[in-house]
Amino acid sequence: MKYSQIFNSVGVASTIKSAHVSSGAVGSRGEYPSLLSDMPNTTYGNNMLYALKTGSLLAEAAPQIDWGEYRREGLKVIEGGAKGANKSKSGGGLLCAFVGAIIGVLIEPNHAGESQEDVDHTRSDYLGLPYISPKEAEENKDQNGYLYRALNEKDYASLSRNLGLEAKNPSGSWSLSEHVVWGSNKVKEPEKNDPWISTTLSLQRAQFYNDSRTSYGVIKIDTSKIESAYYYAPVSIDSKFQEYNKAVAYATIDQEVSIYQYLNRNAIIGWIPR
């Protein structure tokens, strides 16, 4: 089915491109978390990046760690190491105290001379994307012609290799409608079936999903540079789809624009930390 829409009224100045693909589902519903998900503390992840500064492995690993659990275990090591050293004066106890001290540095939320913005710049440099401060993003959020996406682990790794983004399975058979409703349903196996990438017209919605997950940040996308077919999902749901009402509701809440298969890197114009 072909769709061609101009959405100046909802924030997209350029024409949503026409392409002959099956009407269907959007790509990152499966990446969207539960509202009740237990989020790690992003500050600890950023401080891990600050403290060690050892390159790509840490930059990629930091957002994935359960920092709440890490901090609890770190405090146990500090306490145990101190007790061991005090009690036995042994090498083992001193070693534990030393390791505990290092972990204490990693989980300390503030570092002299290093601002949160400095840490954020380090992460944007790692991704090779221009840094957009949250303040700047907020001031320009109503500009026409731009989309946003909260990054997931796969996205983050791809960007770090100077690549663009791809759907869970670019060769998947799902329609946009199926993607919107089933993208987070593991029983439906979106990793095998979903050829769509979700983006949104709303900075706020992208930030919501970023804050609800593991805080890989949000990218800003210039619609005039997108090379793949893309669709404004609320008006692109197949009216014969069995869960039509649910799909329209999901897509409308998220102001979703669905990109088919791939998002070329040069369409990504910046990274917003949160």
Side-chain angles (χ1 to χ4, degrees), residues 37-238:
S37 61
D38 181 21
M39 275 305 302
N41 187 322
T42 312
T43 303
Y44 297 143
N46 289 341
N47 288 324
M48 177 93 167
L49 180 66
Y50 162 84
L52 297 186
K53 296 275 181 106
T54 56
S56 62
L57 180 60
L58 258 189
E60 189 169 334
Q64 304 175 41
I65 298 173
D66 182 345
W67 292 104
E69 181 63 21
Y70 190 89
R71 188 169 191 268
R72 288 190 292 273
E73 294 303 313
L75 291 174
K76 289 179 184 179
V77 172
I78 294 170
E79 181 181 0
K83 287 181 179 178
N86 213 14
K87 181 177 179 180
S88 66
K89 307 297 182 183
S90 67
L94 290 173
L95 177 61
C96 286
F98 176 71
V99 172
I102 292 176
I103 295 177
V105 170
L106 296 181
I107 63 178
E108 169 58 42
N110 296 307
H111 301 281
E114 183 80 2
S115 69
Q116 181 64 53
E117 186 171 350
D118 291 332
V119 174
D120 292 339
H121 273 287
T122 300
R123 293 183 68 189
S124 68
D125 289 344
Y126 167 72
L127 295 175
L129 293 174
Y131 171 76
I132 301 174
S133 71
K135 180 180 179 181
E136 179 186 351
E138 180 67 23
E139 290 173 348
N140 297 315
K141 67 180 181 181
D142 295 324
Q143 287 180 329
N144 289 340
Y146 297 98
L147 303 172
Y148 302 92
R149 174 176 169 83
L151 297 175
N152 60 29
E153 181 180 353
K154 179 180 177 181
D155 296 339
Y156 198 86
S158 182
L159 291 174
S160 73
R161 296 193 295 271
N162 200 35
L163 301 173
L165 305 185
E166 69 173 22
K168 294 183 184 74
N169 181 4
S171 300
S173 62
W174 273 1
S175 67
L176 186 149
S177 307
E178 291 168 321
H179 163 72
V180 169
V181 176
W182 298 335
S184 61
N185 188 337
K186 297 301 182 183
V187 174
K188 297 287 188 178
E189 299 185 308
E191 299 298 332
K192 294 182 179 180
N193 299 308
D194 196 347
W196 298 89
I197 299 170
S198 284
T199 66
T200 174
L201 295 168
S202 169
L203 172 63
Q204 183 179 15
R205 292 305 291 172
Q207 290 173 327
F208 167 78
Y209 285 116
N210 181 59
D211 293 343
S212 301
R213 301 188 73 248
T214 51
S215 297
Y216 288 94
V218 171
I219 54 171
K220 186 173 183 178
I221 302 161
D222 184 340
T223 59
S224 70
K225 297 180 179 179
I226 298 175
E227 297 174 0
S228 301
Y230 60 103
Y231 305 87
Y232 183 54
V235 300
S236 301
I237 304 299
D238 185 349

Side-chain angles (χ1 to χ4, degrees), residues 7-26:
F7 298 107
N8 288 326
S9 61
V10 289
V12 175
S14 60
T15 299
I16 301 299
K17 297 181 180 179
S18 296
H20 187 74
V21 297
S22 58
S23 60
V26 185

